[in-house]
Each structure stands twice: as C-alpha cells, then as structure tokens.
Amino acid sequence: MVRSEYSDRELDIFISEKIMEKKGTLFYTSNITETWQVVEKMMHKYFCELKLDVFLGGISGDLWVASFYSPRKCQRFEGKGRTAPLAICRAAREAYSGLLGD
C-alpha cells in the first residue's frame, strides 16, 4: 500500500469499505472533495458533528486536528494529520471503531 505523510491508501480502503460501504477506493485521505463525502456520511448515518482546527507552527508536523463528536454517546474521536483530509479520515476511523466496536 502507498503511504506518505499526505495520504494513506490503507486508510482510504478502510473508509471506502467500512464507512462509505462501497466497492472501489477513492482518495479520501488526500482529496477534500472526497473527504467531504465522509463528513456527510458521518453526520447523517452516525449522527456525529465535526470540529476541525489548524495549528500553524506546530512542532509535531501534524497541523490539522479533526474530531467527530457523538452526542448520543457523549464521546469525541480525534485524528491528526499534515492535511485536513488526512486528519478528518483518521478521526472518522476512530469514530467508526469507537461507535461500532470494529
């Protein structure tokens, strides 16, 4: 699997199969248009709210922090990344796993 600091194909596959319930894989972790489909799915199917922050000059290199909050479970699931799409997808994976126990 191709993995770089700006994308993660293994995560793209997880998002596609588990969250989006689709065959075939889009570039969710590197394309904000495709990432936004994930956000919409998380909002409508899993009833989560998205919070997205950027930290300029962060020492870790992870400039973006995304979190999905589930009011039903009173839980927040967080992901970090060098890009907004990567952070959002990491947070979506954490939320999916935390909410469904996968």
Side-chain angles (χ1 to χ4, degrees):
M1 295 291 151
V2 175
R3 212 171 193 179
S4 79
E5 60 188 275
Y6 300 108
S7 68
D8 182 337
R9 290 304 288 160
E10 290 177 26
L11 181 52
D12 287 333
I13 292 166
F14 177 90
I15 296 283
S16 185
E17 291 176 356
K18 300 288 187 175
I19 296 174
M20 301 305 288
E21 303 169 317
K22 293 183 175 180
K23 300 249 186 226
T25 305
L26 297 177
F27 294 92
Y28 297 108
T29 61
S30 59
N31 183 313
I32 194 66
T33 301
E34 292 167 2
T35 305
W36 207 252
Q37 294 174 24
V38 176
V39 172
E40 290 175 348
K41 183 80 166 211
M42 294 300 295
M43 290 170 43
H44 296 287
K45 184 169 183 178
Y46 303 107
F47 307 104
C48 290
E49 303 166 356
L50 174 68
K51 180 180 180 196
L52 186 62
D53 293 305
V54 63
F55 297 97
L56 300 177
I59 57 173
S60 71
D62 289 330
L63 303 177
W64 292 90
V65 178
S67 62
F68 282 101
Y69 176 70
S70 170
R72 289 182 170 181
K73 299 272 187 171
C74 294
Q75 285 183 286
R76 183 170 304 281
F77 304 94
E78 185 176 280
K80 297 178 182 178
R82 291 188 172 265
T83 65
L86 191 54
I88 291 168
C89 288
R90 287 175 175 166
R93 176 183 54 201
E94 294 302 313
Y96 178 88
S97 297
L99 295 171
L100 299 177
D102 248 11

